[in-house]
Amino acid sequence: MPHSSTTNHSKSQTGISYQNPEASVTLIDIPTSITYAQGESLYTRKNILLSREPLEAPIPVLNEPLLGPSSQMIGDDEYHTAIAELVKLAIEEIQAAHSSSWCLPRKWIDPSQQDLPQKRKAADGGEDLGARGAAVNKQGRRRHGGEDAKLDAAGYSMKKALDMDPSAPYLIPQGIVKLHTVADIRQTVYTNPTDKTSLLCIRENGLSGSSTFHVPGQSTFMQAQIEPSVTAFKLATLQLLTPRSSSEMAGQFDFLLLDPPWPNASVRRARSYQRQRTIHDAAQLLLSTQLEDHMAPDSYVGIWITNKARIREMLLPPPACCHLGPSAQNDSSQHKRASPPPPPAAPSFNLFDRWGLELVEEWVWIKTTTQGEPITSLSSTWKKPYEIMLLGRKKPRRTSDADNDDATPPPSSSSSSSSVKRRVIAAVPDLHSRKPSLKSLIEPLMPAQNYRALEIFARNLTDGWWAWGDEVLKFNADHAWTSRTCDGGPG
């Protein structure tokens, strides 16, 4: 599956404003990085992704807890001290080389909103696709009104094909396809086999409006909740991703990226994503993806985590995971009132070991203001100004296991903290929980130009990649973009 190599594009197109030769420190603009990830098209040349007004000053954090057992829920002081020092050095490096704003010009939504406006549910109870209200896309109807019969025919052919074999991947024809219900896109893998952007125009049951989504060239997606769609997704990968070498199996990827809905009371993800209530629930969700079946030899897996030590411990076996601070018993004398008991130990899932992964890198996204200041204090207990992506690499199989599919994975060989490479990505925050696109940053690590990538829990499509989750079209909806001819500022 071909893709556009970052080396063929200027840094400004990818959203990168600064990067050192080692690529260990990068300043990137989030909306521009996502736009670049859509590939070159007339659509992205004419439109700009809506964003949030960039922060000009840090956010004050009130009611910070006392040090002690409550802070243990966040993580190991020694670990976060090391991250803070790394971030300080990275900020100083960028400031020495970059004197202008730390984000590119934006067009933003109403400042009172944290996210794009939510559409009411379709009449058939379908998922929220991230589209706006029930307003009719009048511009689209005027532009394509003369082709209604042709578009309806294409949509009917699609529905008929899906009715015959719902598990079969559907190849989206070039141009525009009109579907009659939201249900027509559920539980089915769609792929755009062309190099050009295609459009899906979806009407809503019982509503007069429609929603239009742009599908980048060579991209593939399944709009569905993860657990119920595992089998259908796996069948589609087996059909579309044939082995490229004798060491590879069908349905495998070179890079897999996950941004799971971790249990977190402060995270207000979109309604269609149900947050996991416990660490155990989150682990079961991740295990249900059958990730190990989709990892090619020497593949990389990136997973965004929160700053809670228990989540890191769930993924990594000691000593790669951080350790909790002093015990509650030793700290209790420092408090005038009784402290709550420490949280129970995290279950020993060791997901990296189960998946056969070794931790090789940590990517630290430091959230900054437009002037390059961390949005909160680096010493904050509850609200760290950074998020971390763990980057693992698949361990080679033992020779004795080559003919034994049931062999247990080799003993843990988790990297020590001293051998794990750390990179810093600085970016001014965008819409709530929206991360920088990693397309331009991960490509230098990929084995070849025709690498295969999959994003699970994705909220936008990426040129040449696969996407799987129940919000994959959210930021590919027409309403998430606006014309480039508009001036920056509120939309």
Side-chain angles (χ1 to χ4, degrees):
M1 181 176 299
H3 71 281
S4 301
S5 173
T6 307
T7 56
N8 297 329
H9 296 80
S10 68
K11 286 287 194 283
S12 61
Q13 287 178 297
T14 64
I16 296 175
S17 297
Y18 170 79
Q19 188 176 68
N20 62 15
E22 301 80 20
S24 60
V25 177
T26 301
L27 173 62
I28 193 168
D29 181 70
I30 297 177
T32 306
S33 71
I34 297 173
T35 300
Y36 164 75
Q38 305 308 299
E40 292 185 347
S41 70
L42 180 62
Y43 188 91
T44 55
R45 287 198 295 270
K46 287 185 174 182
N47 297 284
I48 186 171
L49 186 64
L50 283 170
S51 183
R52 188 182 75 178
E53 184 175 6
L55 290 171
E56 301 287 346
I59 303 169
V61 178
L62 306 177
N63 301 322
E64 280 277 273
L66 297 171
L67 294 177
S70 58
S71 66
Q72 294 175 13
M73 297 179 64
I74 299 298
D76 177 23
D77 288 343
E78 183 178 350
Y79 172 79
H80 286 287
T81 298
I83 295 295
E85 290 302 316
L86 180 73
V87 165
K88 288 178 184 177
L89 292 175
I91 288 177
E92 291 174 0
E93 178 180 332
I94 297 172
Q95 288 173 335
H98 184 80
S99 58
S100 56
S101 173
W102 281 41
C103 79
L104 298 177
R106 293 183 177 181
K107 180 71 175 177
W108 61 79
I109 62 173
D110 186 324
S112 66
Q113 301 182 39
Q114 290 290 315
D115 206 343
L116 295 170
Q118 295 293 328
K119 166 181 80 65
R120 68 174 180 262
K121 298 284 186 177
D124 65 349
E127 300 101 332
D128 179 359
L129 299 180
R132 174 181 291 171
V136 178
N137 185 342
K138 294 181 179 178
Q139 181 181 0
R141 296 183 78 179
R142 285 198 302 269
R143 183 170 63 242
H144 310 303
E147 302 179 3
D148 273 354
K150 180 180 178 181
L151 299 179
D152 285 341
Y156 176 77
S157 297
M158 176 186 285
K159 190 176 189 310
K160 184 177 180 181
L162 296 178
D163 288 342
M164 292 176 62
D165 186 0
S167 66
Y170 185 85
L171 303 183
I172 301 174
Q174 184 176 336
I176 306 167
V177 174
K178 185 176 290 186
L179 298 176
H180 288 270
T181 69
V182 173
D184 287 343
I185 72 162
R186 288 200 207 111
Q187 305 295 331
T188 300
V189 168
Y190 289 81
T191 185
N192 180 358
T194 74
D195 291 325
K196 297 184 180 296
T197 296
S198 292
L199 297 180
L200 285 179
C201 186
I202 303 173
R203 293 174 180 170
E204 306 299 338
N205 286 358
L207 302 177
S208 60
S210 63
S211 304
T212 301
F213 305 87
H214 66 273
V215 181
Q218 302 293 340
S219 65
T220 303
F221 71 90
M222 173 177 266
Q223 168 89 21
Q225 293 184 357
I226 299 297
E227 292 175 283
S229 61
V230 169
T231 300
F233 181 81
K234 189 171 185 178
L235 287 174
T237 64
L238 294 175
Q239 293 180 58
L240 294 176
L241 300 177
T242 57
R244 295 164 295 182
S245 68
S246 58
S247 63
E248 186 176 283
M249 300 179 66
Q252 294 186 331
F253 298 87
D254 302 299
F255 177 54
L256 301 95
L257 178 63
L258 300 89
D259 185 12
W262 296 113
N264 191 331
S266 65
V267 175
R268 299 186 297 273
R269 297 293 294 268
R271 287 174 296 174
S272 57
Y273 263 151
Q274 297 297 319
R275 292 193 308 272
Q276 300 306 294
R277 295 180 61 87
T278 67
I279 295 290
H280 183 274
D281 292 338
Q284 293 304 319
L285 175 63
L286 292 174
L287 288 171
S288 74
T289 63
Q290 301 181 18
L291 204 65
E292 61 278 9
D293 293 341
H294 295 295
M295 294 188 299
D298 298 320
S299 59
Y300 288 89
V301 174
I303 180 165
W304 288 100
I305 62 173
T306 73
N307 289 311
K308 286 188 176 181
R310 297 179 69 209
I311 288 179
R312 187 180 177 87
E313 290 169 347
M314 181 193 78
L315 291 163
L316 302 174
C321 66
C322 60
H323 300 285
L324 296 178
S327 68
Q329 182 177 1
N330 293 337
D331 285 335
S332 60
S333 60
Q334 301 177 16
H335 302 278
K336 294 182 180 180
R337 60 180 182 273
S339 300
S348 300
F349 289 104
N350 292 350
L351 294 188
F352 266 45
D353 267 3
R354 292 197 187 196
W355 290 329
L357 293 173
E358 178 181 15
L359 179 67
V360 293
E361 295 194 13
E362 290 182 326
W363 292 17
V364 183
W365 168 28
I366 175 62
K367 306 173 188 180
T368 73
T369 68
T370 57
Q371 305 305 309
E373 300 173 277
I375 63 168
T376 59
S377 171
L378 286 167
S379 61
S380 171
T381 299
W382 283 134
K383 200 168 182 64
K384 301 289 186 188
Y386 51 79
E387 294 186 42
I388 295 173
M389 186 194 75
L390 304 176
L391 187 65
R393 191 168 191 179
K394 187 174 181 180
K395 304 173 191 175
R397 295 184 67 185
R398 292 181 298 181
T399 305
S400 59
D401 292 341
D403 299 318
N404 183 5
D405 291 336
D406 295 326
T408 56
S412 173
S413 58
S414 298
S415 304
S416 65
S417 58
S418 61
S419 64
V420 173
K421 181 180 179 65
R422 286 175 176 158
R423 304 177 193 261
V424 175
I425 304 168
V428 178
D430 190 25
L431 295 182
H432 184 69
S433 82
R434 191 156 74 179
K435 310 290 194 300
S437 170
L438 300 184
K439 179 178 171 65
S440 64
L441 302 180
I442 200 65
E443 284 181 349
L445 299 182
M446 292 296 98
Q449 194 170 26
N450 65 336
Y451 76 94
R452 294 168 173 173
L454 164 65
E455 183 172 1
I456 305 177
F457 310 109
R459 295 199 292 166
N460 65 264
L461 306 181
T462 296
D463 171 43
W465 289 25
W466 285 55
W468 181 20
D470 56 7
E471 282 191 314
V472 295
L473 295 175
K474 177 167 184 170
F475 297 127
N476 286 81
D478 260 2
H479 85 281
W481 299 71
T482 192
S483 173
R484 287 187 179 274
T485 59
C486 299
D487 295 331

